């Protein structure tokens, strides 16, 4: 079970991560898992790996204060600190493959139709 929360500025009490923070966590977890999976398939032993994510979001979009501002992230940056028993070129290729084949990254990086409807309608 996940506890969803928001900061006080968004009428919450910081009782848990908010949805956009969960999105970053899901993205980091999926990119990391995909990297490990494809490293193993290529015979690359990962010695250590950690991720750091940053995203730019303008609350004017969420709050409908400016129609020109997107309601979600305008950009996301993932920094992987990865050490493995392979060349830098092999690591770069591995990370490109992980970005292309991570289901969460793939979903976030391309337009995906989403339908919202009321139950029973």
């Amino acid at each position: 079970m996940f506890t969803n929360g928001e900061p006080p500025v968004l009428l919450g009490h910081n009782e848990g991560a908010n949805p956009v923070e969960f999105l970053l966590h899901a993205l980091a977890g999926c990119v990391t898992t995909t990297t490990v999976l494809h490293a193993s398939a290529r015979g690359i032993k990962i010695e250590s790996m950690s991720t750091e994510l940053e995203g730019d979001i303008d609350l004017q979009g969420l709050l409908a204060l400016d129609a020109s501002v997107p309601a979600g992230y305008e950009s996301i940056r993932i920094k992987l600190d990865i050490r493995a028993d392979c060349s830098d070129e092999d690591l770069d290729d591995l990370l490109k493959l992980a970005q292309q084949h991570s289901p969460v990254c793939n979903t976030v990086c391309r337009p995906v139709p989403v339908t919202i409807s009321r139950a029973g309608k």
Side-chain angles (χ1 to χ4, degrees):
M1 178 192 297
F2 299 105
T3 300
N4 188 61
E6 291 290 349
V9 70
L10 294 177
L11 307 178
H13 302 287
N14 281 327
E15 53 274 77
N18 66 32
V20 293
E21 292 167 333
F22 278 125
L23 176 68
L24 290 182
H25 181 74
L27 182 58
C30 194
V31 168
T32 300
T33 300
T34 304
T35 300
V36 170
L37 174 73
H38 285 282
S40 179
R42 291 174 171 213
I44 297 171
K45 181 182 176 200
I46 295 178
E47 298 162 11
S48 65
M49 180 169 37
S50 64
T51 58
E52 180 181 322
L53 280 83
E54 296 177 334
D56 299 317
I57 191 165
D58 185 337
L59 294 182
Q60 293 181 88
L62 166 68
L63 300 174
L65 298 175
D66 185 339
S68 70
V69 175
Y73 284 111
E74 295 182 50
S75 67
I76 297 172
R77 293 167 300 286
I78 303 173
K79 295 178 187 175
L80 271 79
D81 183 3
I82 183 169
R83 303 197 196 307
D85 66 347
C86 63
S87 68
D88 286 343
E89 181 179 283
D90 287 343
L91 270 181
D92 290 340
D93 289 344
L94 177 64
L95 294 181
K96 284 180 193 172
L97 187 68
Q99 180 173 3
Q100 294 167 348
H101 295 279
S102 158
V104 175
C105 192
N106 186 273
T107 301
V108 169
C109 291
R110 64 184 169 85
V112 176
V114 175
T115 303
I116 300 175
S117 62
R118 293 176 32 213
K121 294 282 178 179

